[in-house]
Amino acid sequence: MILIYTPNITPRIKYAFKHIFTRILKVPVSFTSTVEAFISHNSIKISYAKQPLGNELFIKSHELLFEQGLSDVEVQVHDWEETKCFFTTNDKSCIPFDMFAATFYLLSRYEEYLPHVKDEYGRFTAEESLAFKYGFLHQPVVDIWAYKFKQILENQYPDFVFPNKTYAVKPIIDVPSAFSFKAKGLMRTIGGTLKDLLSFKFHRLYMRFMVLLGFKHDPDDTFKYIINRQKQRKNKFLFFFLIGDYSTYDKGVNAQKERIYIPNKTSGRLLPSGT
């Protein structure tokens, strides 16, 4: 058990520390704001505050994890060995930056809530991100920080045994629209037909009516094939179907229609929606 001392235990602190210790390093963590409880703890203990209490592992805290709401946080990115870091600390801190505030900043996607230039769909683009601007967009920096901090803890507490982390493969199939032509409704079918005619997509027009008349299989309806394939595999697939309302950018089919069938991940069968 790792004990964290901080003068004010906030939800942001719990979130950031539990992500590093519980989710990545697989070590339980608890929190205290009582100095006596912290001093009497006989395992790993870390103080997270403006000043250390004694000779314990100390991380100088950034104000971000003690705040509520949003603020225009100043971020200056620096090199740290083979990776990057920000929210730098002082010489008393066991690491050169507040990795927990930085972790919260990245995992909460804090910068996306601040004023920024949106793309044509109203989204935050990668080019606007801190990671893109400073060249660490393709680095799992939070995990890198966690394992570097683990080395610091192992040097300080050589008798403490960290559990080995195991991994598993979970294939995921994203299905934004279950079918190309089926279950689209009369108006969408008429609109698609006109669009095919105006753009001279005669092969697509032919396929559309062959599918609707039952002479051909819908090209996107591959679910039975996928389920039969997964029966031969150890790792089972997980399907994500878009079942939200039809909108400007979401073009899925109505999941409430009785003729729509979706895969059942446990039995490997196709079941009607709503079952």
Side-chain angles (χ1 to χ4, degrees), residues 9 68 72 76 81 122 176 191 193 198 203 211 214 239-240 254 267-268 272:
I9 303 171
Q68 292 184 352
D72 190 10
Q76 295 182 355
E81 298 178 2
T193 300
L198 294 175
H203 178 72
V211 169
F239 289 82
F240 282 99
N254 188 349
S267 65

Side-chain angles (χ1 to χ4, degrees), residues 22-38:
T22 306
R23 297 185 182 93
I24 298 180
L25 301 182
K26 299 298 180 183
V27 177
V29 62
S30 62
F31 304 87
T32 185
S33 57
T34 305
V35 175
E36 292 78 11
F38 180 76

Side-chain angles (χ1 to χ4, degrees), residues 5-7 35 38-39 45-61 89-95:
Y5 168 79
T6 183
V35 175
F38 180 76
I39 293 174
K45 50 188 177 183
I46 303 166
S47 62
Y48 182 73
K50 295 300 181 183
Q51 295 293 333
L53 298 176
N55 295 322
E56 78 283 354
L57 281 177
F58 166 70
I59 299 173
K60 186 178 185 297
S61 60
T89 56
N90 54 29
D91 294 338
K92 295 180 180 179
S93 187
C94 63
I95 53 175

Side-chain angles (χ1 to χ4, degrees), residues 93-147:
S93 187
C94 63
I95 53 175
F97 71 109
D98 184 349
M99 61 178 267
F100 298 100
T103 293
F104 176 80
Y105 185 89
L106 293 177
L107 294 185
S108 67
R109 298 163 73 164
Y110 196 95
E111 59 190 341
E112 297 188 26
Y113 296 94
L114 301 176
H116 61 270
V117 178
K118 297 179 174 61
D119 70 1
E120 58 181 315
Y121 302 111
R123 300 175 302 188
F124 182 90
T125 63
E127 290 75 16
E128 288 289 315
S129 70
L130 192 74
F132 178 85
K133 293 175 181 177
Y134 289 94
F136 63 94
L137 184 62
H138 299 291
Q139 275 193 344
V141 289
V142 174
D143 290 72
I144 293 172
W145 297 340
Y147 285 107

